Amino acid sequence: MDIGQLRDNIGHFSLDSGYLGNQGYEKVLLQLFGYTGHGKSSFINSCKYVLEEGERFAEPAEARETHHGLTMSRNAYPLTETITMVDNRGCSKMDDFERSEVYAQLGNFIPIGQKVNWKDNFSAMMEDLENSELEPNYTDFIVPIFVYSVRQQIPDAEMQEVKKFMENCVRMTGIVPIIVLTFKTRGDYLDIEKRFRLMGAEVVIAIENYTTTSNIKTLGRTTDILMVIDSALRNVKFRLEQPRNPRRERVERKKFLLNYIHQTTTSSETVKEIERERERVRERTIQLLHFREAKNPACEVM
């Protein structure tokens, strides 16, 4: 597929194009995850650059070639009227609470623009989850994208962590995360790609980001970056071929997160709090179903 076709696919993408329509979704949210300093922010800058005309490179997402990372908040960057890319806070030590925060970002339970603080206690996490119910977001179609630098060798322990994250992405979103390998020319990306495919990745695309010092548009580099966005949209189209229920799916994501926290905590008091939250989720689900049935008795819950 040539650059013109890729740009056209992205620029004219519509959630209404399928025979079932948008089913309640209003926006595609491309959620970026990865370890700190692996190039998430640079990838966002590159995506915006290849979708625009001209050779003027900008850095709307603050990026720096560092292993420490800069992103501390969930920051949103619109690519089109329908597609938004989100730079989530990168992982570092990946302890139980940090992993839970990652899934809270993936599930869209932390508002866009809010600073992400790695918490060290259950109560603080539950407070954030409760606050997310004040203005629940049901209308974003989430596509996970995992960014990994080929300059890094994947240790066995980290590989298992990434594999588990990929599996949980499928449970929460129904989509296998797209793998973006950055710094394509600075390592053996073919070996890293093979390892990700052995972990279950379906789409792995190696790219070289554009930067302030390397911003002359080339055919290969631009095509690789556009292919990532196009692959995400093809996943959305595929999922929308089946009946969806955005409200129910959000409830299921929250139940997954609560179960995940339950599995990683042992305190009896914590377990009691989780059980109480589960009951609140169950009651809220019943209320939503009753509301839908009362509004449209003929409507079947997907």
Side-chain angles (χ1 to χ4, degrees):
M1 194 178 301
D2 63 28
I3 286 179
Q5 185 63 58
L6 287 168
R7 282 204 182 104
D8 189 66
N9 289 350
I10 296 167
H12 293 91
F13 175 82
S14 172
L15 287 164
D16 299 317
S17 60
Y19 71 94
L20 291 176
N22 61 45
Q23 302 192 63
Y25 292 104
E26 298 176 359
K27 182 187 300 181
V28 174
L29 208 63
L30 306 181
Q31 291 254 52
L32 299 192
F33 293 93
Y35 292 94
T36 56
H38 279 234
K40 298 192 308 299
S41 298
S42 294
F43 176 58
I44 290 173
N45 294 333
S46 296
C47 286
K48 292 185 72 68
Y49 186 46
V50 299
L51 288 172
E52 296 169 353
E53 298 294 336
E55 298 283 339
R56 184 180 179 184
F57 180 78
E59 289 188 300
E62 187 178 5
R64 189 180 303 157
E65 192 165 321
T66 173
H67 294 289
H68 302 294
L70 292 174
T71 303
M72 303 294 286
S73 305
R74 293 189 73 223
N75 298 317
Y77 301 91
L79 299 182
T80 70
E81 291 184 0
T82 306
I83 308 164
T84 294
M85 194 165 271
V86 176
D87 193 1
N88 292 288
R89 182 174 180 180
C91 317
S92 54
K93 58 184 179 180
M94 284 294 280
D95 60 18
D96 288 340
F97 284 108
E98 187 168 303
R99 283 191 291 266
S100 298
E101 289 287 347
V102 168
Y103 294 128
Q105 292 178 88
L106 174 64
N108 231 8
F109 295 113
I110 298 177
I112 298 294
Q114 178 172 306
K115 186 174 181 179
V116 180
N117 296 310
W118 300 136
K119 299 175 180 62
D120 58 3
N121 66 86
F122 173 78
S123 297
M125 291 196 63
M126 292 306 299
E127 182 178 354
D128 275 357
L129 276 177
E130 287 297 321
N131 290 338
S132 72
E133 297 304 322
L134 296 175
E135 296 183 13
N137 184 335
Y138 302 100
T139 61
D140 289 344
F141 195 110
I142 299 170
V143 180
I145 298 176
F146 189 80
V147 179
Y148 197 92
S149 168
V150 303
R151 297 181 301 179
Q152 310 296 318
Q153 293 298 317
I154 310 179
D156 289 340
E158 188 174 290
M159 182 171 66
Q160 292 303 313
E161 195 66 60
V162 173
K163 182 178 180 180
K164 179 57 67 175
F165 171 76
M166 292 170 59
E167 293 170 350
N168 287 337
C169 279
V170 177
R171 294 188 179 99
M172 291 187 75
T173 69
I175 294 177
V176 179
I178 295 168
I179 307 300
V180 176
L181 302 180
T182 57
F183 300 100
K184 178 179 180 178
T185 60
R186 305 195 199 182
D188 187 351
Y189 77 85
L190 292 174
D191 178 63
I192 302 295
E193 176 181 348
K194 178 181 178 182
R195 299 191 71 180
F196 271 103
R197 290 195 181 279
L198 289 173
M199 286 190 279
E202 296 180 348
V203 178
V204 183
I205 300 175
I207 69 163
E208 193 70 39
N209 281 318
Y210 287 107
T211 66
T212 54
T213 57
S214 180
N215 56 22
I216 298 176
K217 289 182 178 178
T218 65
L219 176 62
R221 189 184 295 197
T222 297
T223 301
D224 290 340
I225 294 167
L226 290 173
M227 283 293 295
V228 176
I229 306 171
D230 184 70
S231 296
L233 299 181
R234 283 189 280 115
N235 268 279
V236 175
K237 289 181 178 179
F238 174 77
R239 294 291 292 168
L240 285 177
E241 289 175 359
Q242 303 298 320
R244 321 263 4 123
N245 186 321
R247 291 176 180 268
R248 169 59 66 83
E249 289 174 9
R250 185 182 188 278
V251 170
E252 292 301 320
R253 287 197 298 270
K254 187 172 182 180
K255 287 165 65 177
F256 169 87
L257 182 56
L258 291 169
N259 286 330
Y260 182 83
I261 297 172
H262 183 274
Q263 294 168 6
T264 55
T265 54
T266 56
S267 165
S268 59
E269 189 58 35
T270 295
V271 171
K272 289 179 182 178
E273 288 187 60
I274 293 175
E275 291 299 332
R276 287 194 291 269
E277 178 61 19
R278 278 177 169 171
E279 182 62 23
R280 284 194 290 269
V281 169
R282 188 184 72 82
E283 291 176 356
R284 184 173 179 79
T285 302
I286 292 173
Q287 291 172 357
L288 288 172
L289 295 178
H290 287 168
F291 173 78
R292 286 173 58 85
E293 290 172 357
K295 187 175 180 181
N296 185 0
C299 178
E300 295 183 1
V301 177
M302 308 301 181

